[in-house]
Amino acid sequence: MNKRILAAALLCFCVAGPSNAAGDAAAGKEVSATCAGCHGADGKALVPDYPNLAGQHASYIAKQLTAYRDGERVNQLMSPMAAALTDQNILDLAAYYANMTPIKGVSAEENLTLGENIYRGGVTSAGIASCTGCHGPSGQGNPAAIYPVLSGQNAAYLAAQLKMFRSGERNNDPNEMMRALAHRLSDVEIDALANYSSGLH
């Protein structure tokens, strides 16, 4: 296993914080009223640039909400929304969305082969490992290591996040794992990868 990936996984297991405790999905439903305006009542985002939350790992949702609240991840819409959340609010929201039925994504035919090749085989010439090592062959991620579900996610959102990792605008990835990979991907490769990942099952 790649030493960088192993170190990141160990780091995730040792991090203390809201993602290490359980939340109450019923309480999360009450807190989620304001979230529905962007992420939908069923966890399916109302516009492709926003993430689908239904079926995402609770550990990942909790990590991201905490990062928004604490200023480790910045977004003009999410940062103010997360600012008033308590640790318990975050756990409850994470449990609520994690318990929803996951979204079934459908990939476009355009650039599908390129996306599959990168996801499953990486880009050897650029030193990019396959995505399956962290996100799994069907895009289900790894809740223990806090790697997100990609299956069913909006392709536009995935592409935007990869481009933000590439530019360094997003920098809350353990040991710079995503930044180290994304900075070697072209726009064409990112769009293909996002399209393929969103349709995984």
Side-chain angles (χ1 to χ4, degrees):
M1 175 181 277
N2 182 295
K3 290 181 181 178
R4 184 183 291 265
I5 293 172
L6 178 59
L10 291 172
L11 174 67
C12 290
F13 281 117
C14 298
V15 171
S19 61
N20 290 336
D24 181 338
K29 183 176 182 179
E30 293 181 17
V31 180
S32 75
T34 55
C35 309
C38 291
H39 299 288
D42 58 355
K44 181 175 174 58
L46 301 184
V47 296
D49 291 335
Y50 300 156
N52 295 326
L53 300 181
Q56 184 59 264
H57 300 309
S59 58
Y60 185 77
I61 293 173
K63 177 187 174 184
Q64 299 310 315
L65 285 174
T66 302
Y68 280 128
R69 184 193 63 188
D70 297 347
E72 296 170 7
R73 184 176 176 187
V74 178
N75 176 275
Q76 62 180 356
L77 294 176
M78 279 304 304
S79 296
M81 296 296 289
L85 294 175
T86 65
D87 283 354
Q88 192 60 53
N89 291 154
I90 288 173
L91 292 171
D92 295 343
L93 282 168
Y96 174 62
Y97 285 112
N99 286 324
M100 285 183 167
T101 301
I103 306 298
K104 295 291 185 186
V106 178
S107 299
E109 287 298 321
E110 182 184 4
N111 68 28
L112 194 57
T113 299
L114 175 60
E116 180 177 15
N117 289 342
I118 296 171
Y119 189 90
R120 301 204 175 280
V123 182
T124 305
S125 61
I128 298 175
S130 75
C131 305
T132 58
C134 292
H135 297 286
S138 60
Q140 296 306 304
N142 183 333
I146 322 182
Y147 299 148
V149 174
L150 302 182
S151 170
Q153 189 54 266
N154 286 322
Y157 175 77
L158 290 176
Q161 297 310 301
L162 283 169
K163 289 171 184 176
M164 284 194 280
F165 278 126
R166 184 179 65 184
S167 71
E169 181 181 350
R170 181 171 173 187
N171 55 20
N172 70 327
D173 49 326
N175 290 345
E176 302 183 16
M177 284 177 57
M178 288 303 303
R179 281 172 282 172
L181 298 173
H183 90 274
R184 303 175 205 161
L185 291 169
S186 68
D187 283 354
V188 170
E189 290 170 326
I190 283 176
D191 290 342
L193 184 55
N195 174 49
Y196 177 75
S197 300
S198 70
L200 286 167
H201 297 291

